[in-house]
Amino acid sequence: MDVRKIVVVVEDVDAARTALKWALHNLLRFGDFITLLHVFSPAMNSSRSKNKIRLLRLKGYQLALSFKDICNNFFNTNVEIIVTEGDQEGGKIAAMVREIGASALVVGLHDRSFLYK
């Protein structure tokens, strides 16, 4: 059985947590890898200061760690975390999925989702 790479988009909404739980119950097989991917985008009207970007990266990493805690409840989950800066239209997510070579992308659908843009 081939090892699969599953990317789960990390957002601070319940739909994203529900999507992760769904993936753990329905997609994950022994030996598969889950990549928790958080893409942050500084506000357009704010300056792109290094401190602002550092703070957004830190908040994204902390959010991803809370998702990792959900994964830790499942036996033998191989989890990696990626936090990166990108656009709000999903281009960075698509690029990361291709770069990782993922076989599945799991996204929690909600009112402010990038999928609607």
Side-chain angles (χ1 to χ4, degrees), residues 36-91:
L36 301 174
L37 175 62
H38 178 74
V39 178
F40 65 91
S41 176
M44 293 294 200
N45 58 0
S46 69
S47 66
R48 293 180 153 234
S49 71
K50 289 184 181 181
N51 286 337
K52 174 85 171 172
I53 291 173
R54 188 176 298 132
L55 181 61
L56 288 171
R57 187 180 313 276
L58 176 63
K59 285 183 178 183
Y61 188 73
Q62 290 170 336
L63 180 61
L65 284 175
S66 72
F67 277 60
K68 186 175 181 196
D69 286 343
I70 295 170
C71 295
N72 289 340
N73 293 330
F74 286 78
F75 182 69
N76 255 347
T77 54
N78 300 310
V79 181
E80 70 174 340
I81 294 173
I82 297 176
V83 177
T84 187
E85 184 177 355
D87 57 26
Q88 293 184 347
E89 286 77 37

Side-chain angles (χ1 to χ4, degrees), residues 4-17:
R4 297 179 305 168
K5 296 178 182 178
I6 301 166
V7 174
V8 179
V9 176
V10 173
E11 296 179 280
D12 196 10
V13 292
D14 287 335
R17 288 177 185 82

